[in-house]
Amino acid sequence: MPAYRAVLFDFFGTLTCATRRGRHHADVAALLGCPPDVLTDVLDRSFYLRASGALGDAVDTLRWVCEKAGGRPESADLVAAADSRIEAVRADTRLRPEAVTVLRAVRRRGVRTALVTDCTHELPAFLPKLPVAPLLDARVFSVEVGTCKPDPAIYLAACRRLRVTPADCLYVGDGGSQELTGATRAGMTAVRLAAADLDRHLVFNGDRGWRGPVLGSLAELPDLLDGVRSGTAPPPRAAGCGT
């Protein structure tokens, strides 16, 4: 494998622990006037539509979701629900204990970092408050660029912002949204994070056929970079079951 000038990270399930929807989403459903299970079903079915920004801003997106879920909230309740949803997604988000340490280690090696993630409007709202934020040289959110993984455009957006070529990049992700296949097709080297907790992770369109390199822990990444730089990188482990 080549030496890298940049490492691109997925967010949910990669820089964070496994993510599931928690109890705070019931507060969103209450403001929208629809049953929580119906809201969850609509959210699941519409993820890529919402994450591509196709439905407008956060309030317009929730208005569409609410119509599909059978709710008829007042405008003020929609605004409150959009704020409540930011808090709900934030409550579901727990950074991996090693995330900050790994990002610092990557940057100490002279390698740039970027976030490339499929997400709805909530993550851009609260990411600046997380300790990983100042350690990311670029942030590419699907909801802002108008396309989701595995579209090559979302990876190439990160390359432009970092001023690197795809061949300069290592992409790290848990495999959701066929992100590893997409990164490879865009000309990058991709490695799958197969942390034990990801069996409980909420995943859409998983990269189940991935047979490329695998990390058992995000903490293994700096050693991988050192091995690549010195030409002594260990052979990639075989992939386990896809997420």
Side-chain angles (χ1 to χ4, degrees):
M1 287 190 283
Y4 303 109
R5 295 178 59 198
V7 178
L8 280 52
F9 294 88
D10 173 45
F11 186 70
F12 295 107
T14 302
L15 291 180
T16 79
C17 300
T19 301
R20 305 294 297 180
R21 291 197 183 98
R23 61 183 179 84
H24 294 284
H25 292 273
D27 299 334
V28 180
L31 287 165
L32 295 177
C34 54
D37 59 335
V38 176
L39 176 62
T40 295
D41 180 63
V42 174
L43 290 175
D44 285 350
R45 289 188 286 108
S46 66
F47 174 72
Y48 289 108
L49 188 62
R50 293 181 295 111
S52 67
L55 300 175
D57 64 17
V59 173
D60 285 340
T61 298
L62 273 184
R63 181 179 290 109
W64 181 93
V65 168
C66 194
E67 289 174 356
K68 298 299 181 183
R72 295 291 184 272
E74 300 291 335
S75 295
D77 289 331
L78 272 171
V79 173
D83 290 339
S84 181
R85 186 161 156 74
I86 292 172
E87 294 307 312
V89 177
R90 174 67 184 91
D92 294 342
T93 301
R94 292 183 303 112
L95 291 175
R96 292 194 178 278
E98 66 272 26
V100 168
T101 300
V102 167
L103 285 168
R104 286 175 175 161
V106 171
R107 288 161 62 91
R108 279 199 304 270
R109 286 159 172 79
V111 178
R112 306 200 75 194
T113 61
L115 185 70
V116 179
T117 183
D118 285 350
C119 66
T120 49
H121 294 281
E122 295 74 30
L123 180 59
F126 70 77
L127 181 79
K129 301 176 184 178
L130 300 182
V132 296
L135 301 173
L136 296 166
D137 296 306
R139 308 169 194 175
V140 180
F141 303 109
S142 65
V143 73
E144 293 182 351
V145 298
T147 191
C148 295
K149 297 178 277 190
D151 186 339
I154 195 168
Y155 306 94
L156 297 179
C159 290
R160 287 193 298 273
R161 295 179 190 186
L162 295 175
R163 298 183 181 180
V164 296
T165 69
D168 293 326
C169 299
L170 177 67
Y171 182 87
V172 183
D174 65 279
S177 298
Q178 297 189 24
E179 61 188 349
L180 306 173
T181 300
T184 301
R185 288 175 179 166
M188 301 176 178
T189 300
V191 59
R192 176 177 173 241
L193 178 64
D197 68 305
L198 290 174
D199 287 343
R200 304 183 301 278
H201 185 50
L202 178 64
V203 174
F204 298 103
N205 193 25
D207 228 331
R208 298 185 183 278
W210 179 252
R211 292 295 179 267
V214 174
L215 296 174
S217 166
L218 192 63
E220 297 173 11
L221 179 60
D223 287 342
L224 174 63
L225 294 177
D226 289 343
V228 169
R229 188 177 298 276
S230 67
T232 60
R237 299 191 294 125
C241 296
T243 55

